[in-house]
Amino acid sequence: MRLVFMGNSIEEWGAAVAVAFAAAVLMYTARYLLIHRLAQVAERSETRVDDWFLRLLRATYTVFILILALYLGSLMLEFPRKYELWLWRVAVSAMLIQAAIWADTAVRAWRGRYRQAAMGTESVASAASTAIIDFLLRLVVWVVFMLMILDNLGFNITTLVASLGIGGIAVALAVQNILGDLLASLSIVLDKPFVVGDFIIVGEQLGTVEYIGLKTTRLRGLGGDQVIFSNGDILKARILNQTRMFTRRAAFTLRVHYATDPAKLEEIPPMIKGIIEAHEKTASFERAHLRDLAEWSLNFEVIYWIKNPDYFVFMDTQQSILLAVLRGLKERGIEVAYPARMIVRDPYDCIDGAPPLHSPASIKREGT
């Protein structure tokens, strides 16, 4: 007597189980051997491709191997069309979920690689900003694969996508400021006008970038206070990134007394040039000229460059050069000008209650 279960004999069920078991053992063994082999190769090689494949293989879960093996075994059996369709859909859905996990693992591997490459450099803090891109990429991956799974299961995703589109437009209009800041944060991460740790000047505010988030960027001001900008506003403003300076331009105005002899005035530019070029922290001397004849002084304009962009180095160098210039002026007998005002008294004005110079009282007092 031949035993039949769901339209298939016991022998056919046994063959299906054997095929499923053999496929599961084969796939699991192949996964184990590939992981073991790639791990050895990854330790010796400097490339990152084998590391990525290794992470993908490790993200291949046993449950999906079993589902695929069971589907391969089911091919040995005869089922009604409806059952075969659902077996196919379950198998494809499982493979799509596994593919989504692989894509998600690849995105996380990219982010980890980026952070490791940035570690120890001046852009180490900017690696945290890649969380924005990581979040968006992973969101896109799962949304796309979930739509594919729903379509595979027989759902009409056209209506769903259209509904999501209309709803997305409504939500976008409602939260356009938030979306604007989100896109601005993505622009900051990709274009990198600044990164965490940079000292920047935005309008009248200045400070060190402490955090770049999805909506706001935060600076730590010189006074210790935290200045918070929305990402959209900070990109609309002029940003001066002081950290990315390679050299710093220094300039000052020297005001000399009008009584200075012209021959001594001619000695000032060469004297300043010699002082600046002899300083160890200056990169180059640009110019020193008698710029204009001001109201109460002769103005010399001096411009030079400092090697180190650090502000404290700039101040120390500027102080040293200014003191050397003052010593040089003193040695040559040249006076620095300062504003002065001469007040001429009108003889007919009264000052502090005293009578005018030509009043009868003063004349009588002078006569006696």
Side-chain angles (χ1 to χ4, degrees):
M1 180 180 178
R2 185 183 180 188
L3 296 178
V4 177
F5 179 71
M6 295 183 64
N8 297 278
S9 65
I10 297 300
E11 292 80 5
E12 291 173 340
W13 279 101
V17 171
V19 169
F21 179 78
V25 171
L26 182 62
M27 288 186 289
Y28 188 84
T29 304
R31 171 180 172 272
Y32 174 80
L33 294 177
L34 285 174
I35 290 176
H36 183 71
R37 179 59 180 169
L38 277 177
Q40 294 177 343
V41 174
E43 291 179 357
R44 297 193 301 266
S45 66
E46 296 181 357
T47 61
R48 297 294 174 181
V49 178
D50 47 10
D51 295 333
W52 282 32
F53 278 112
L54 182 61
R55 293 193 63 171
L56 294 181
L57 285 174
R58 286 175 174 169
T60 305
Y61 294 100
T62 306
V63 63
F64 299 110
I65 294 177
L66 293 177
I67 293 175
L68 182 57
L70 290 175
Y71 175 73
L72 293 176
S74 69
L75 296 178
M76 305 297 297
L77 304 173
E78 293 291 337
F79 291 110
R81 177 61 181 171
K82 182 174 66 172
Y83 292 158
E84 289 182 353
L85 178 61
W86 275 105
L87 288 173
W88 165 255
R89 287 178 175 178
V90 170
V92 172
S93 298
M95 289 186 288
L96 287 174
I97 293 174
Q98 180 61 68
I101 293 174
W102 284 337
D104 183 83
T105 302
V107 172
R108 287 187 284 113
W110 165 81
R111 180 187 176 188
R113 169 60 181 160
Y114 185 91
R115 294 181 63 181
Q116 183 179 0
M119 192 66 64
T121 66
E122 62 178 7
S123 61
V124 57
S126 68
S129 301
T130 59
I132 301 170
I133 302 178
D134 175 76
F135 170 77
L136 293 177
L137 288 178
R138 294 176 68 184
L139 179 63
V140 169
V141 164
W142 283 105
V143 168
V144 169
F145 276 97
M146 288 305 298
L147 290 176
M148 294 173 64
I149 292 171
L150 290 175
D151 181 64
N152 175 68
L153 293 177
F155 293 93
N156 185 5
I157 65 170
T158 303
T159 305
L160 178 61
V161 172
S163 302
L164 290 176
I166 297 173
I169 294 174
V171 172
L173 293 175
V175 295
Q176 55 183 335
N177 291 334
I178 297 176
L179 290 177
D181 291 330
L182 178 62
L183 294 176
S185 69
L186 185 61
S187 176
I188 292 173
V189 171
L190 294 177
D191 193 48
K192 290 184 174 59
F194 54 83
V195 296
V196 176
D198 283 358
F199 185 88
I200 64 174
I201 301 175
V202 184
E204 298 180 354
Q205 304 294 333
L206 67 163
T208 303
V209 180
E210 194 173 61
Y211 174 79
I212 301 174
L214 293 175
K215 190 177 190 309
T216 62
T217 295
R218 304 168 194 173
L219 309 183
R220 181 63 61 180
L222 296 180
D225 52 332
Q226 189 180 67
V227 185
I228 302 174
F229 295 91
S230 67
N231 291 327
D233 290 342
I234 199 170
L235 285 185
K236 293 177 183 177
R238 292 181 180 271
I239 302 172
L240 303 178
N241 194 327
Q242 301 290 301
T243 303
R244 297 183 184 176
M245 296 173 62
F246 297 103
T247 57
R248 184 182 285 270
R249 184 177 184 268
F252 64 88
T253 300
L254 179 65
R255 294 179 172 85
V256 180
H257 201 279
Y258 260 107
T260 306
D261 187 87
K264 291 186 177 181
L265 292 176
E266 293 179 349
E267 298 177 7
I268 294 179
M271 176 198 71
I272 296 176
K273 180 179 179 181
I275 292 173
I276 292 176
E277 291 182 342
H279 201 285
E280 60 180 4
K281 293 184 179 180
T282 55
S284 63
F285 169 80
E286 186 169 312
R287 61 185 176 86
H289 293 95
L290 177 60
R291 185 184 65 187
D292 53 19
L293 308 178
E295 183 180 356
W296 48 270
S297 64
L298 304 171
N299 295 341
F300 285 83
E301 185 177 54
V302 181
I303 298 175
Y304 63 97
W305 294 85
I306 299 175
K307 297 177 182 178
N308 194 326
D310 185 83
Y311 184 76
F312 293 103
V313 174
F314 160 73
M315 291 301 298
D316 291 340
T317 305
Q318 182 91 313
Q319 173 181 267
S320 175
I321 289 175
L322 290 176
L323 292 175
V325 169
L326 290 176
R327 285 192 292 266
L329 294 177
K330 186 175 182 180
E331 291 173 358
R332 290 166 175 78
I334 302 174
E335 295 185 5
V336 177
Y338 53 88
R341 179 179 297 175
M342 180 181 294
I343 300 176
V344 180
R345 180 184 173 190
D346 189 334
Y348 293 99
D349 287 344
C350 295
I351 300 178
D352 296 334
L357 295 177
H358 299 288
S359 65
S362 62
I363 295 173
K364 182 178 180 181
R365 190 182 303 110
E366 290 174 0
T368 59

